[in-house]
Amino acid sequence: MTTTDIRPDTGPEKAVRRPSRLLRNLSSKVAMVPLIFTALVIFLGGTIWTVVYSFTKSGLLPRLSWAGLDQYERLWSSRKWIVSIENLAIYGVFSLIGTLVIGFILAALLDRKIRGEAVFRSIFLYPFALSFIVTGLVWQWILNPELGLQSVVRDLGWQSFTFDPLNNPNIVMFGLLIAGLWQGTGLIMCIMLAGLRGIDEDIWKAARVDGIGTVKTYIRIVIPMMRPVFVTSLVLIAAGIVKLYDLVVAQTSGGPGISSEVPAKYVMTAMFGGQNLGQGFAASSMMLLMVVIILIPWAYLEFGGKKHG
Amino acid sequence: MPLGKQLAEGPRGKKPKKRFSRGNIIVYGTLFVVALYYALPLYVMIVTSLKGMPEIRMGNIFAPPLEITFEPWVKAWKEACTGINCDGLSRGFWNSVRILIPSVILSVAIASVNGYALSMWKFRGSEVFFTILMIGAFIPYQVMLYPIVILLREAGLYGSLTGLVLVHVAFGMPINTLLFRNYFASIPEELFKAARVDGAGFWAIFFKIILPMSLPICVVAFIIQVTGIWNDFLFGVTYISSPDRYPMTVQLNNIVNSVQGVKEYNVNMAATLLTGLVPLVIYFASGKLFVRGIAAGAVKG
């Protein structure tokens, strides 16, 4: 989705001469009004607006009375925000590694000319069709300590078995991770599978002739060849992690206490719950910064390198 | 197989593979166990939604229902409570339908025209706007939430379904425009030139030549939009102020996570399944197209 064909600019506008340049190719311009409006007003304008207002004292209503970096100082001295960032970091690292590893392993298994591949693929991918709200609620039910998994194992005779991540502040993020991985690995598996299918059969034959084992072939030859696929997956997963919100709301509502708060939820609470707009704007600007930090290396790898395509 | 052994066996050609070699058992075994894990939640949802409350309290969540009852489904649809309203998910369902239909139609219509203009009628700056739009797709929604509140309020649309529809159209625009633009870029230029020579203009070419050719990409865009908009929670909870107009996902969350009253797990799971039904039907009905659509539209997720 990053490579786009751009046809040489032999646009028809050169053939037709009109008196004003603004009126040239008018239908096209009129047709693009929704896009231009969305790009300039909503995306660009909205982002600039939020960043500008993050430097103000806006409380109940947005107002332009400058506060310098006050909102940011308050933000970073707020325990809830720090916890949110830590949670996102934990979730992010494990989700990134987990999704990549599980996604790749599933794809590699399915790539071994399996019978019933379509059935397995459907089962791994269907969670992705469901919303995070649905995902969160199902896993909340399965992880319910009194009636769910824990009680089932205890009924089987293992009385001391404890698995109650959603009520344990120390591991609650892993409870979310179980649901998050369940929902998201299918997509990455699909992308990886497409990548594996794109690798030439001859490479496998050559590796076999050289007596290189299957696992070694994957690690030494196939994975390095799939670099672009991994980069795409990485960006997709990372972009999703920053947005983590619905799942938390549905599964834990940020609890117990504030132990599963995340930045997106902090923003929502500050803006629409706490009437504390300035904090919301500052927190969302920090989220923007995180995305920029993720995107710049990617953009560099993707477009800055010598070769392309 | 090591090379030495292969040579020792002589040039007999490929040996037919045994179906149940050790490697195969490991591969199938792993896939089967993992598939079980992925399938389990759907199974648990279905099973729980068909049990009565006493059976839920007694038995385990994986056991099939001893006595199948559809009462939880009826209750979830018609009577489940969110706050003071007790008329079930049906209201949320119809709200979601009323949001979904215009959003999807508008999204696909606008994106197809955008993609067409971007690939065949470029003008000065058109690529710049497109680039801004694509970068915008990566910006966390939270950054733009409040400015949109102001815009909608100014337009008198804050809290209305119409406002939410416009938000969905705007946020669906990057990925859909990209899809259409790339698809149209692969249409042979000669076709376009021939139409120009025949005197066809912007709209004539679009409706008579381009649109009839774009059914496959329309289906992909349609799938992305339906699942994306149906599953949305953030925009629904932000731009709808009255519980009467909440989309289904928001209402579902309110029903299940409401603090008052006894938790009726069977009703909750029936409600969860009802909410997941539309995307699941799309998923199973569209098969491979879903894979293609979602892989192309993953940016929005």
Side-chain angles (χ1 to χ4, degrees):
Chain A
M1 85 214 48
T2 48
T3 51
T4 49
D5 306 87
I6 296 166
R7 61 175 57 199
D9 198 355
T10 49
E13 71 265 44
K14 277 173 196 149
V16 192
R17 278 203 172 275
R18 292 250 172 78
S20 161
R21 260 181 65 189
L22 208 67
L23 288 174
R24 213 188 290 168
N25 206 350
L26 189 66
S27 307
S28 177
K29 284 170 187 165
V30 171
M32 291 254 291
V33 165
L35 186 147
I36 296 171
F37 178 83
T38 306
L40 292 186
V41 177
I42 297 187
F43 288 4
L44 190 65
T47 305
I48 294 172
W49 191 96
T50 298
V51 173
V52 167
Y53 273 84
S54 72
F55 296 106
T56 67
K57 289 179 192 154
S58 304
L60 188 64
L61 289 169
R63 59 199 176 102
L64 272 175
S65 57
W66 298 107
L69 288 171
D70 280 5
Q71 297 288 3
Y72 290 92
E73 272 170 36
R74 261 177 65 200
L75 186 68
W76 284 101
S77 55
S78 145
R79 210 176 87 77
K80 198 168 152 193
W81 174 254
I82 305 284
V83 170
S84 302
I85 293 284
E86 284 170 357
N87 283 342
L88 193 67
I90 295 171
Y91 182 90
V93 168
F94 285 95
S95 160
L96 207 62
I97 297 171
T99 314
L100 282 178
V101 170
I102 298 171
F104 181 79
I105 291 177
L106 291 181
L109 289 175
L110 285 187
D111 194 39
R112 306 218 57 82
K113 300 193 179 65
I114 284 297
R115 276 161 178 267
E117 185 198 316
V119 177
F120 282 118
R121 210 188 39 212
S122 305
I123 294 175
F124 298 148
L125 187 62
Y126 87 90
F128 189 72
L130 297 171
S131 69
F132 270 125
I133 297 294
V134 167
T135 302
L137 296 178
V138 182
W139 282 97
Q140 191 195 64
W141 171 230
I142 296 177
L143 298 175
N144 180 316
E146 282 120 51
L147 298 163
L149 195 62
Q150 177 178 298
S151 95
V152 172
V153 177
R154 283 187 183 178
D155 285 349
L156 290 173
W158 186 358
Q159 283 302 325
S160 61
F161 178 79
T162 314
F163 189 64
D164 184 14
L166 298 188
N167 293 314
N168 181 345
N170 296 322
I171 55 167
V172 63
M173 289 316 289
F174 293 93
L176 289 166
L177 200 63
I178 293 175
L181 288 177
W182 178 78
Q183 212 254 6
T185 37
L187 170 74
I188 300 303
M189 175 210 68
C190 273
I191 295 175
M192 299 268 187
L193 192 57
L196 284 172
R197 292 277 147 87
I199 283 173
D200 203 329
E201 220 22 61
D202 290 344
I203 293 193
W204 279 104
K205 284 181 193 151
R208 212 157 293 149
V209 169
D210 288 344
I212 305 173
T214 310
V215 175
K216 217 172 176 183
T217 311
Y218 272 120
I219 294 173
R220 291 275 179 80
I221 303 166
V222 175
I223 291 179
M225 283 180 75
M226 279 173 56
R227 208 194 69 135
V229 176
F230 272 89
V231 172
T232 307
S233 307
L234 211 76
V235 171
L236 286 181
I237 303 167
I241 290 168
V242 178
K243 288 176 188 162
L244 179 67
Y245 171 71
D246 313 15
L247 190 64
V248 178
V249 170
Q251 222 181 335
T252 65
S253 317
I258 57 164
S259 53
S260 62
E261 287 287 340
V262 286
K265 194 163 172 293
Y266 186 96
V267 172
M268 292 298 282
T269 317
M271 276 188 193
F272 301 105
Q275 313 286 336
N276 198 346
L277 289 176
Q279 278 293 289
F281 298 149
S284 53
S285 300
M286 291 312 302
M287 289 176 71
L288 177 65
L289 190 65
M290 283 186 243
V291 173
V292 170
I293 291 171
I294 295 167
L295 280 186
I296 285 179
W298 170 69
Y300 179 76
L301 282 173
E302 197 76 9
F303 306 109
K306 338 117 219 159
K307 269 186 268 170
H308 192 259
Chain B
M1 204 187 283
L3 190 62
K5 202 177 163 203
Q6 258 177 350
L7 288 175
E9 278 167 359
R12 282 187 292 152
K14 218 172 173 187
K15 233 168 89 180
K17 232 182 174 178
K18 265 195 288 177
R19 183 145 304 153
F20 288 105
S21 67
R22 208 172 56 123
N24 254 350
I25 291 172
I26 293 174
V27 169
Y28 279 102
T30 316
L31 279 175
F32 188 74
V33 171
V34 180
L36 221 58
Y37 169 78
Y38 279 83
L40 205 65
L42 187 59
Y43 169 77
V44 169
M45 269 195 277
I46 295 172
V47 167
T48 308
S49 73
L50 295 173
K51 289 177 187 168
M53 268 319 278
E55 203 185 322
I56 288 179
R57 277 192 219 97
M58 305 292 287
N60 81 49
I61 53 167
F62 302 123
L66 297 170
E67 219 179 295
I68 291 178
T69 165
F70 290 99
E71 214 174 301
W73 284 74
V74 177
K75 202 165 176 196
W77 180 253
K78 287 209 296 221
E79 298 160 32
C81 295
T82 50
I84 42 164
N85 295 319
C86 284
D87 49 5
L89 267 179
S90 52
R91 192 212 312 251
F93 174 83
W94 291 114
N95 282 338
S96 279
V97 170
R98 277 192 286 165
I99 296 163
L100 184 75
I101 292 173
S103 307
V104 172
I105 294 174
L106 267 176
S107 289
V108 176
I110 291 177
S112 59
V113 174
N114 280 344
Y116 164 66
L118 278 167
S119 55
M120 297 182 188
W121 298 85
K122 283 191 196 128
F123 55 86
R124 208 179 238 271
S126 59
E127 285 296 310
V128 177
F129 298 130
F130 178 68
T131 310
I132 296 173
L133 194 77
M134 290 318 295
I135 295 171
F138 286 99
I139 297 175
Y141 298 145
Q142 280 76 12
V143 179
M144 297 170 243
L145 283 182
Y146 202 84
I148 297 174
V149 168
I150 296 177
L151 281 175
L152 289 176
R153 205 181 274 150
E154 292 299 313
L157 294 171
Y158 181 69
S160 69
L161 295 186
T162 314
L164 187 55
V165 166
L166 292 178
V167 171
H168 279 305
V169 172
F171 282 96
M173 206 178 281
I175 184 57
N176 287 308
T177 304
L178 180 73
L179 282 180
F180 278 104
R181 176 180 172 274
N182 289 359
Y183 183 80
F184 292 150
S186 65
I187 289 179
E189 213 173 335
E190 288 69 32
L191 206 69
F192 176 77
K193 279 184 180 158
R196 288 288 292 154
V197 171
D198 286 348
F202 185 89
W203 294 109
I205 295 179
F206 180 71
F207 283 112
K208 290 194 181 138
I209 299 169
I210 303 299
L211 208 56
M213 292 176 72
S214 51
L215 184 69
I217 200 70
C218 282
V219 173
V220 168
F222 172 84
I223 292 170
I224 295 178
Q225 286 299 294
V226 172
T227 49
I229 293 167
W230 190 271
N231 287 342
D232 162 69
F233 176 77
L234 182 66
F235 297 140
V237 88
T238 307
Y239 299 117
I240 298 295
S241 42
S242 140
D244 284 349
R245 291 193 284 268
Y246 274 148
M248 204 175 188
T249 44
V250 178
Q251 219 188 3
L252 170 72
N253 186 55
N254 291 350
I255 288 176
V256 177
N257 282 331
S258 75
V259 270
Q260 68 260 67
V262 189
K263 275 205 183 252
E264 293 178 291
Y265 299 107
N266 49 359
V267 176
N268 289 353
M269 283 302 112
T272 311
L273 267 176
L274 277 169
T275 310
L277 222 49
V278 167
L280 279 181
V281 166
I282 293 273
Y283 169 71
F284 285 113
S286 65
K288 269 200 169 154
L289 273 174
F290 180 88
V291 178
R292 227 174 79 193
I294 294 305
V299 188
K300 201 193 161 203

